[in-house]
Amino acid sequence: MRELIALWVDGYRQAGHLSAEDEAEIDTFVMLRRLMLTAYAGLRHDTELAAQMRTSGYNADTCAIAEPYLSRFA
């Protein structure tokens, strides 16, 4: 995931400015997006997306990402 974020940041910087404060929030936005998708899949468990998320281990991956993210605030 870190490699993907680094590539995204590099690409973004080619088009515009990204402040250190904005870059520091990328993990928050990634976490928010994953939690929103998890909530959607829970509410719409009968959709193809929800089935793909279950099969791919999306929730377990989200938990693995959330633990170090949340530990920064403990």
Side-chain angles (χ1 to χ4, degrees):
M1 168 95 73
R2 301 282 6 135
E3 292 173 13
L4 181 60
I5 290 172
L7 291 170
W8 178 82
V9 168
D10 288 343
Y12 190 90
R13 285 191 174 131
Q14 292 177 20
H17 175 72
L18 184 65
S19 71
E21 293 84 12
D22 292 337
E23 189 172 351
E25 292 300 327
I26 291 172
D27 289 343
T28 298
F29 294 127
V30 168
M31 199 72 251
L32 178 62
R33 176 69 174 158
R34 291 189 76 94
L35 291 174
M36 289 175 60
L37 281 171
T38 300
Y40 171 82
L43 292 171
R44 300 294 309 272
H45 56 86
D46 57 334
T47 64
E48 185 177 328
L49 176 61
Q52 290 172 351
M53 290 169 68
R54 283 190 299 274
T55 302
S56 70
Y58 185 88
N59 292 339
D61 291 344
T62 298
C63 289
I65 293 168
E67 288 182 21
Y69 172 79
L70 292 171
S71 71
R72 300 183 327 187
F73 304 101

